[in-house]
Amino acid sequence: MPVVLHALGDPVRLELVRRMAADGECACSPEGLDVPRSTLSNHWRILREAGLTDTRADGKARIMSLRRGPVEAEFPGLLAAVLGDGEGRAGA
Amino acid sequence: MPVVLHALGDPVRLELVRRMAADGECACSPEGLDVPRSTLSNHWRILREAGLTDTRADGKARIMSLRRGPVEAEFPGLLAAVLGDGEGRAGA
């Protein structure tokens, strides 16, 4: 639990999670985030190591998605509360 | 949101929050936590600055309680999900 909360406890990482939740997936360097690529890579690493993301390759690019199902199973209601959408279970 | 998640994203701080939730209040240096007092003070500071605790004085001691109501109002369902008790609203 603290590992996941720490992973979510950063404004950039929270935004990445919100984008994955809203769009289904998120590219490594999404539009509109004024953050250096190396810093973004570090954020993605923290999310990945906390078990929050899956990664697929699209050519040279990496596309991340939120592991809603496993996270919801392990921490019921957490994503819904964090995303503030009351629909944390959608697509789980 | 990320500030509160960061505050909760530490095993010691999460335990302090669990104790306040379970017992209603928690003393500055609770039993059974093998953590130096200075470290505990820092953890309490982080929880306090995140808006998670109220503090009352009991002589020279400080007694902390969880600000369930305000936290629940601002982040519905978050405490319940973090505490894993499904009763995050009790006493709010």
Side-chain angles (χ1 to χ4, degrees):
Chain A
M1 168 67 74
V3 173
V4 171
L5 292 174
H6 171 71
L8 295 169
D10 172 273
V12 175
R13 293 197 292 268
L14 195 55
E15 177 61 22
L16 293 176
V17 170
R18 285 183 178 135
R19 291 196 185 202
M20 285 187 287
D23 304 337
E25 295 182 322
C26 186
C28 192
S29 294
E31 297 287 329
L33 268 184
D34 188 19
V35 178
R37 181 169 290 208
S38 57
T39 306
L40 270 180
S41 293
N42 188 54
H43 285 309
W44 282 122
R45 178 185 60 79
I46 291 170
L47 290 172
R48 181 176 66 250
E49 291 179 353
L52 284 163
T53 64
D54 283 321
T55 303
R56 68 174 181 89
D58 181 18
K60 293 183 186 176
R62 297 288 176 267
I63 310 293
M64 276 60 68
S65 54
L66 191 60
R67 298 177 73 239
R68 270 190 195 273
V71 176
E72 184 63 28
E74 190 164 6
F75 309 116
L78 181 61
L79 281 179
V82 169
L83 296 171
D85 58 8
E87 294 176 343
R89 291 191 179 81
Chain B
M1 169 66 76
V3 173
V4 170
L5 293 173
H6 171 70
L8 295 168
D10 172 273
V12 175
R13 295 197 290 270
L14 195 55
E15 176 61 20
L16 294 175
V17 170
R18 285 183 177 134
R19 293 198 184 199
M20 285 187 287
D23 304 336
E25 292 182 323
C26 186
C28 193
S29 294
E31 296 289 329
L33 269 183
D34 188 19
V35 178
R37 182 169 291 210
S38 57
T39 307
L40 270 180
S41 292
N42 188 54
H43 284 309
W44 283 120
R45 177 187 62 78
I46 291 170
L47 291 171
R48 180 175 66 249
E49 291 178 353
L52 284 162
T53 62
D54 283 322
T55 304
R56 68 175 181 87
D58 182 17
K60 292 183 185 176
R62 296 290 175 268
I63 311 293
M64 276 59 67
S65 55
L66 192 59
R67 298 177 73 240
R68 271 192 194 272
V71 175
E72 183 64 28
E74 190 163 7
F75 308 116
L78 181 61
L79 281 179
V82 170
L83 296 171
D85 58 9
E87 294 178 343
R89 291 193 177 84

